[in-house]
Amino acid sequence: MARVSLLGIPHDENSSYLKGAAAAPALIRRELKSDAHSSWSETGFDVADSFLDHGDIDFSGGGDPWERIESEVGRALDDGHPLISLGGDHAIAWPLLRAVRRRHPSLTIVQIDAHPDIYDAYQGNKRSHTSSFARILEEGLADRLVQIGLRTLNDELRDQLTHFGVEVIEARHFSEDLRFDLKTPVYLSVDLDGLDPACAPGVSHREPGGLTTRQVIGLIQGIDQLIVGADVVEYNASQDVSNLTALVAAKLVKEIAGMMIKTNGASAG
């Protein structure tokens, strides 16, 4: 049986506006396990039978949380299965990618987001969730970064995107005919505020004009290379409406898992 590892990273200390994303992993898991929903991906896999759940990282013991994330992600990857991490805020992507990159010398990041998260620092914090991809690119943790759905750019961010050579498809230029020219294994990073607030209101930084759930699923299903890792981040239940965003997050996890299984060569059942 093809397996997909699951790991909760309940950390939001680097959120710049509202805390709350640290509570997300348990809430997303609840929807994944709910009898109200099918456990099958649209690509034809019963992902409930595929998950190898490593639980949540425990940050109560002190120490540098970045070292803990990198270590625990590495431990989960040691099983040899692709990994979906449940955030937490988007700051966790930096230590997470450190562990992923060690195992994948060729790697493309596909990021779905309203924000590029590429400030050099925000409010003096180099670990801010708005700066994670600046750190990732500084450390050479990917060969290529493609960002989709951006709609909050200013001059400073545009300069950073140019400096790092990021490929950007802003929300205003998005087309459902978009196809990737992917040549390497893929890491998929999904910030739920990449979706329009009408589809995912439970985020700390709502930004109207985003992608629909269907469009994001289409992007996930359009990836034709091995998907070796992914994160789904920035769910904030305190801002949710009728549990809608938790349900959307769980749906995206199922579709990512289905595509991980598919791109690893399994046949649909």
Side-chain angles (χ1 to χ4, degrees), residues 116 118-120 134 137 147 150 152-166 168 170:
I118 206 164
Y119 281 110
D120 180 61
L137 294 176
Q147 297 184 328
L150 305 188
T152 60
L153 299 183
N154 57 30
D155 288 346
E156 180 180 354
L157 292 171
R158 290 186 189 279
D159 287 346
Q160 284 282 87
L161 293 168
T162 300
H163 171 71
F164 286 113
V166 180
V168 175
E170 294 183 52

Side-chain angles (χ1 to χ4, degrees), residues 124-146:
N125 182 9
K126 289 261 187 178
R127 287 187 175 184
S128 170
H129 67 159
T130 70
S131 300
S132 47
F133 286 87
R135 305 289 86 77
I136 286 164
L137 294 176
E138 284 172 352
E139 292 191 7
L141 301 181
D143 305 292
R144 180 183 177 197
L145 172 59
V146 183

